[in-house]
Every structure is written in C-alpha cells, then in structure tokens.
Amino acid sequence: METQNFVQLEERYGAHNYHPLDVVIQRGQGVWVYDVEGKKYLDCLSAYSALNQGHVHPKILQALIEQAQKVTLTSRAFRNDQLPLLYQELSEVTGYEMSLPMNSGAEAVETALKLARKWAYRVKGVPRHRAEVIVCDGNFHGRTISVVSFSSTDLYKDDFGPFTPGFVSVPYGDAGAVSAAIGPDTAAVMVEPIQGESGVVMPPDGYLRQLAEVCRKNNVLLIADEIQTGLGRTGKLFASQHEGVRPDMVVIGKALSGGFYPVSAVLADQPLLGLFQPGEHGSTFGGNPLGAAVARAALRVIVEENLVENAAKQGRYFIEQLAEIPSPFVKEVRGKGLLIGVELKQTAGGARRFCEALRDRGILAKETHEHVIRFAPPLVIRREEIDWALPLIREVLNMP
Ligand SMILES: *Cc1c(COP(=O)(O)O)cnc(C)c1O
C-alpha cells in the first residue's frame, strides 16, 4: 500500500483528533525514520520529546524483549522485581528520594495535583475541598478533563465542560502575578520551565528562581512539569536546573521510556510523596515490570551516552546556525538545548506550509501554535546530521 491508501484508511476509520502531516512512517533508527515508500527523513520532533534516546535504541529494545519474555504485568496487588530497581535508579539519577509511576504524562500530572491537594489538607491545614493550584496561561499539561479545565487554549476545552474547580491561571513569565494570586488556600504552583506546546515560550531569566522563592515564603509547593523539558532535552537533566531550582515535585514522562512504552512518574521527597496511603491512588499498568525494565534501560542510555551534554552542545550549535539563516519570514529563533522554536512573522502565512516543505525535503518538524516551527531532534543527533539539515531549512525559510 502507498501513502495515500494509509491516509484514506485513517481518515475513514479513525477519529480526527489530530491533523498529521501526510507521511506514513514504517520504521525508524536513531534520528532517522523511513516511510512506506522507502523515503528517509530526519526526525526533528522526536514524538514531542519522547524519543530523546533516538528511535528503537538497541539497548532499550533488548531490555523490552528480555522483560517481555519473563513477565509483563503483575498489577500492584503483588510486587515485581523491576519496579524497586527503577525506584532506586530514578532516585540516584534525579536526586529525589521517592517516585510514583504512572503511564501517560497527563496521569502523572493528575497524580501531582492530587498529592498537592492532599498535602494542603493534611500538612498545610487548608480547609477540606478548598485547595487551589496556580497555573500559567498558555500551559499544556495534558488532555484529561481536570487538566483541560485550566487550559487557556479554547480548542482544548470549549466543548468539554463542566470543568474541575480549584485552579487559577496567571500570565506566564510573571512571578509577581503568581505572588499576587497566592492566598491562604493555595496548595501549589504548577509550571513548565519552557512552554513547549505553546510555541517554545521561554520565560525571562530568573523566573523559576523567583517562583521557587515566592513558593518557599508562602508555604506553597512548586511543581515543575518536565514531561517535555526533562531528561536532557534542554541540555540539563531538568530544565529547572538552569536556574538552580529544585522543585518540590517534578513530573516526567515521554523520554522516560525512550519512546517504547508509556511510562511517567512523579518525583518528590519522602515527606511529600510519603503522604499517599494504600488505596488512595493507583493504576493497573502503572509500575508494571515491562514498563519499569524499559524505563531503567532508557535512563541508563541517557546517562551512559551523555545525552544531556550532547543536547547542550548540539543545541547551542543548531540554535546559533538557525539564527544566522537569512529569511524574510523569521521573527525569532529561540530555545535551550535541543528544544528549539523558529517563530515566523504573521506575513509568513503560518508554519504548516513550511513543515510540509521540510517534509518534502526529508525533515520532519511540526508547527506548534500556528506560527512556530519546533525543532527537537533526538538527543543522539550529531553535528553532521545538523549540517545536513541546515541548507534544506535555509531553502525552505526562503520559499516564495
Ligand atoms: C506531552 C505533555 C504532557 C502530556 O503527556 P501525555 O503523555 O500526552 O499525557 C503534559 N505536559 C507536558 C509539558 C507535555 O509536553
């Protein structure tokens, strides 16, 4: 079958909740993917940063196969021999005392919110059912009803009310606005260190540090959603570390499994994560031995292959080179590490046509919020591969 056959099948039988570029991927390796017609592409999206380790990393694949042959699911009704090791290794790598495993990113966000509420009632002394969480305009934390309840993107929420109460949204990048929004019932502030889905929006320098200070002063938890920015993407293990900030909770997902399998987690220290009692929270698949074995291998690859350092180094080069491309359409090139946004001027006619033109030249990138092209290749990318892409990107950014 050819590309158009797959596209037709998908459009006919599948829900239309995405608007994908018409490229039908059949296999991938490292930074490259191949479509059903044998054409090769440089993956500059990495499945929204779930593929930091590159496609089908052989060590993660090996771990997946070996564990799948032993046992895949025990449920948390019993213990398994992978989850304790994942807990320990996550703690060693991240510096947090404990973690709680879930599957999707949105579930881990929900977990963090539940924990913040519980902390508010049990530790801070907020009257029951009054806890508030402060979030930021332009946020993206997932798609569940509670999470879209505090989205500021109409498309994500308009038809999906009634909404979960208990959230307040303030402008992103403004620590003063957070400070002003804090009241006696505030449990937590939840923030993305860089807003990926909103168009690689970078807050002003010092923002996270100021937030951490405001939270500390007011006895409010700081939750960093590092599902997209974490695990090396921005050139530090966590983007919060660029400002020396250690949030009370960190939410991770995506690259935690190197793209093989949905694994997410909430990281925190014992006084906080120790608050959950048996039965208060859970997931049939969360913490399963297959996911745990995959996550252990995926974490090891990040550390052993120095992917954090490589993201910093290649990212610096990529951003610098992109910024030098002359183009009538580019408004700004920004980013940290290998999370890069090229914002186009209003006159460019939207980012989609540029992404289609990039695809035709063998580069897969996706528009985010209409006017921004995101470049976020796997962190295993090498200088030669960036150098291969640059002239093609230059050509596209100068199309009529
Ligand atoms: C992708 C993402 C999520 C949601 O993760 P899912 O696995 O799609 O549920 C949440 N927060 C951020 C910052 C993300 O990038």
Side-chain angles (χ1 to χ4, degrees):
M1 289 210 299
E2 291 181 355
T3 299
Q4 274 320 307
N5 306 107
F6 288 103
V7 170
Q8 280 159 14
L9 278 182
E10 185 166 327
E11 292 302 304
R12 169 150 182 208
Y13 293 108
H16 295 176
N17 57 326
Y18 277 90
H19 181 29
L21 287 179
D22 287 340
V23 50
V24 180
I25 296 167
Q26 192 166 53
R27 64 190 179 88
Q29 188 172 31
V31 297
W32 301 99
V33 294
Y34 302 82
D35 73 8
V36 287
E37 288 160 30
K39 204 173 157 210
K40 176 179 170 177
Y41 304 84
L42 181 69
D43 184 354
C44 280
L45 181 65
S46 310
Y48 305 97
S49 298
L51 288 157
N52 288 359
Q53 300 87 338
H55 287 269
V56 196
H57 193 289
K59 287 187 173 161
I60 311 175
L61 175 63
Q62 191 60 29
L64 176 95
I65 292 170
E66 281 176 15
Q67 188 59 42
Q69 288 169 336
K70 290 182 192 157
V71 65
T72 55
L73 184 61
T74 53
S75 85
R76 298 287 304 280
F78 313 112
R79 299 178 192 266
N80 69 69
D81 70 355
Q82 291 301 308
L83 183 56
L85 299 172
L86 174 61
Y87 283 145
Q88 183 179 31
E89 289 159 13
L90 259 180
S91 178
E92 283 164 6
V93 171
T94 67
Y96 283 92
E97 292 170 4
M98 297 174 87
S99 55
L100 191 162
M102 295 295 282
N103 311 286
S104 69
E107 283 175 310
V109 168
E110 293 264 358
T111 303
L113 295 171
K114 282 175 76 172
L115 186 57
R117 285 179 169 186
K118 172 146 199 185
W119 174 86
Y121 303 134
R122 295 293 172 145
V123 179
K124 181 166 173 168
V126 172
R128 189 164 287 272
H129 299 164
R130 293 254 302 270
E132 258 179 18
V133 174
I134 298 172
V135 297
C136 294
D137 299 349
N139 70 73
F140 182 83
H141 298 288
R143 301 292 201 164
T144 62
I145 285 185
S146 285
V147 171
V148 300
S149 293
F150 52 82
S151 174
S152 53
T153 306
D154 295 341
L155 180 68
Y156 297 169
K157 70 183 297 189
D158 267 3
D159 285 339
F160 307 112
F163 301 118
T164 306
F167 299 97
V168 181
S169 191
V170 301
Y172 186 61
D174 181 352
V178 169
S179 187
I182 289 178
D185 296 341
T186 306
V189 174
M190 181 165 72
V191 68
E192 298 156 87
I194 294 173
Q195 288 186 333
E197 289 321 291
S198 213
V200 191
V201 178
M202 321 249 304
D205 282 345
Y207 174 59
L208 229 55
R209 213 167 32 242
Q210 289 161 13
L211 280 193
E213 183 60 19
V214 165
C215 286
R216 197 188 55 75
K217 270 198 191 139
N218 290 281
N219 194 25
V220 164
L221 300 173
L222 179 61
I223 306 172
D225 179 347
E226 296 248 17
I227 292 170
Q228 186 161 157
T229 53
L231 301 175
R233 172 53 58 188
T234 70
K236 296 269 188 198
L237 185 65
F238 297 125
S240 320
Q241 293 170 340
H242 287 289
E243 300 206 349
V245 168
R246 185 177 186 275
D248 300 291
M249 278 190 246
V250 175
V251 188
I252 54 175
K254 295 203 164 115
L256 182 52
S257 67
F260 276 84
Y261 194 90
V263 185
S264 62
V266 174
L267 309 171
D269 288 338
Q270 197 279 334
L272 193 51
L273 209 36
L275 288 174
F276 275 132
Q277 298 297 312
E280 288 183 339
H281 191 57
S283 156
T284 302
F285 278 82
N288 72 77
L290 184 59
V294 165
R296 292 180 62 206
L299 269 182
R300 251 191 326 270
V301 166
I302 291 172
V303 175
E304 284 173 4
E305 299 189 9
N306 300 314
L307 296 189
V308 181
E309 295 76 8
N310 196 55
K313 182 172 153 198
Q314 307 301 343
R316 211 175 301 123
Y317 178 70
F318 203 176
I319 291 171
E320 193 183 282
Q321 294 294 311
L322 284 172
E324 277 179 18
I325 292 179
S327 159
F329 302 121
V330 175
K331 184 171 162 197
E332 186 185 36
V333 176
R334 56 177 179 254
K336 254 199 182 118
L338 284 167
L339 183 55
I340 303 168
V342 174
E343 180 169 351
L344 304 176
K345 296 176 185 164
Q346 292 291 331
T347 50
R352 177 94 184 178
R353 69 183 188 103
F354 294 89
C355 293
E356 284 167 349
L358 285 167
R359 173 203 58 197
D360 295 341
R361 289 163 180 78
I363 296 173
L364 295 185
K366 188 74 168 65
E367 77 274 13
T368 157
H369 269 235
E370 209 159 331
H371 297 292
V372 180
I373 311 172
R374 173 171 34 196
F375 290 99
L379 310 187
V380 294
I381 198 167
R382 293 172 303 156
R383 171 94 172 240
E384 301 91 275
E385 289 150 350
I386 295 173
D387 283 336
W388 172 85
L390 283 167
L392 299 170
I393 296 170
R394 179 183 176 129
E395 198 180 298
V396 165
L397 289 176
N398 285 280
M399 297 186 311

